[in-house]
Amino acid sequence: TYRTSGPDRISSTVPLHPHRERLRARGRGRPAEGLRVLAAEWHFPQVSEMYVRADIVGLQALGAHVEAWSQDDVAVRYEPDVPVHRGDLADAIAVVRPHVVLTHWLNKGAEYLPIVRAAGLPLAVRGHGFDHDHGVIDGLLDDPGVVVHLFPHLLGTRAAHPRLRGLPVAFDQERFPPATGKDRSLVVRTGVALATKDYDAFFEVAERCPEHRFVLALCRAYQVEEQLEQIVARRDERGSPVEVLVDVPPGKAAEIVGGAGVYLHTHGTTVTYGMSVSIAEAMGTGCYVLGRQLPGMA
């Protein structure tokens, strides 16, 4: 049993957390049963934006019917869990007949707002980090049919607004469960190939810690795909002992993180730090996490 202190208890040999979570999930019910949601995104399904999938999976678990609309193509695609519409957003709304539209990134929320509201629908906007802009937030909240979700440390003085909600990052715990057999000498980082992510810090730590193996799994960013080659060139220029993996499929990325002992998160100081789904994923598997001391990192 779980409730004994003896050496033969199950939790001495079997991870307790996954089973505890399954038991808790039984009582949650499906409060979103019957709700139809359209996820309107700039580019979907893009591997580097797996937080969108995490939100969709979470809504489905609560009983909602979710479909997606993508404005643009993607750089690195994964197989989506929902139907994906393209073309005009207004046409997708007419086909899906949602009760609410959800979009990620504040600037995209502002762009899609007139179309969504013209259809008579409410809009939920999930902020990120780089997009954090007080003027955009105020503009969205001026419309009574909009709810804005920000990461808790970004709420600021607007925290009391009735349509501004603090919401932490979501991750798919089925893909990143507690892992056993971790390699304590393996240090990993997964992320999108952008200069703002300060991968030089990852290279420098690898150079200082030759007794560890460092693996950096990068995904090409849409419309700035050339930045990946620039990051790899920087690794080569420094002679840093970092293994760089490119456009790793989600399943393989989960396997890499699950096997690592340490997750080293890097982030520059030129853009606002939001909340990293890759940190949540790494913590889900039991990694030790190291990161720059930024507002919201704790």
Side-chain angles (χ1 to χ4, degrees):
T1 69
Y2 288 124
R3 296 183 177 275
T4 70
S5 58
D8 59 341
R9 62 182 179 178
I10 294 173
S11 52
S12 295
T13 56
V14 178
L16 171 61
H17 172 76
H19 301 284
R20 176 188 290 159
E21 183 59 28
R22 288 190 182 96
L23 290 171
R24 287 176 175 171
R26 291 178 184 175
R28 289 180 185 148
R30 292 167 66 86
E33 191 79 57
L35 181 68
R36 298 180 64 85
V37 180
L38 177 63
E41 307 296 339
W42 174 41
H43 59 328
F44 177 86
Q46 164 73 13
V47 166
S48 60
E49 317 302 315
M50 294 301 288
Y51 53 87
V52 177
R53 180 186 180 275
D55 282 341
I56 288 174
V57 170
L59 287 166
Q60 290 174 321
L62 296 175
H65 173 83
V66 185
E67 298 190 27
W69 169 82
S70 181
Q71 179 180 2
D72 279 9
D73 202 353
V74 299
V76 186
R77 185 182 187 277
Y78 66 90
E79 192 60 36
D81 302 84
V82 295
V84 180
H85 302 266
R86 298 193 181 274
D88 293 334
L89 175 56
D91 292 340
I93 290 173
V95 171
V96 178
R97 296 177 291 108
H99 298 112
V100 61
V101 174
L102 165 68
T103 191
H104 292 75
W105 302 4
L106 299 173
N107 55 334
K108 286 300 172 182
E111 181 180 338
Y112 303 152
L113 174 62
I115 301 170
V116 175
R117 298 298 286 139
L121 297 174
L123 175 66
V125 184
R126 188 90 141 93
H128 198 61
F130 74 92
D131 59 336
H132 193 67
D133 184 287
H134 297 294
V136 175
I137 295 170
D138 290 341
L140 288 166
L141 293 174
D142 282 344
D143 190 307
V146 177
V147 173
V148 176
H149 296 276
L150 297 179
F151 296 130
H153 69 285
L154 297 177
L155 288 175
T157 58
R158 298 172 176 81
H161 194 288
R163 286 182 286 104
L164 182 62
R165 312 286 175 80
L167 197 64
V169 73
F171 81 102
D172 184 356
Q173 63 184 21
E174 295 299 321
R175 293 179 59 243
F176 292 90
T180 58
K182 280 182 166 290
D183 181 354
R184 295 189 178 206
S185 67
L186 176 57
V187 183
V188 300
R189 164 79 160 101
T190 61
V192 63
L194 293 173
T196 55
K197 301 302 182 180
D198 190 23
Y199 293 119
D200 258 23
F202 194 86
F203 299 149
E204 181 177 348
V205 176
E207 293 157 19
R208 295 189 180 200
C209 302
E211 69 280 8
H212 287 73
R213 176 189 171 207
F214 286 75
V215 174
L216 177 60
L218 293 178
C219 173
R220 298 175 195 273
Y222 180 55
Q223 293 188 343
V224 286
E225 290 87 342
E226 72 281 355
Q227 290 199 28
L228 186 141
E229 282 70 27
Q230 294 168 4
I231 293 167
V232 174
R234 179 62 177 155
R235 186 273 314 261
D236 296 342
E237 177 187 329
R238 297 180 62 119
S240 185
V242 172
E243 180 182 353
V244 177
L245 306 179
V246 176
D247 296 342
V248 176
K252 181 62 176 177
E255 180 183 321
I256 293 168
V257 174
V262 180
Y263 187 82
L264 173 58
H265 189 76
T266 61
H267 194 282
T269 58
T270 58
V271 294
T272 302
Y273 172 75
M275 270 189 180
S276 173
V277 66
S278 61
I279 289 179
E281 292 168 347
M283 290 176 67
T285 71
C287 285
Y288 288 103
V289 176
L290 302 175
R292 186 189 294 272
Q293 189 170 2
L294 297 170
M297 182 67 78

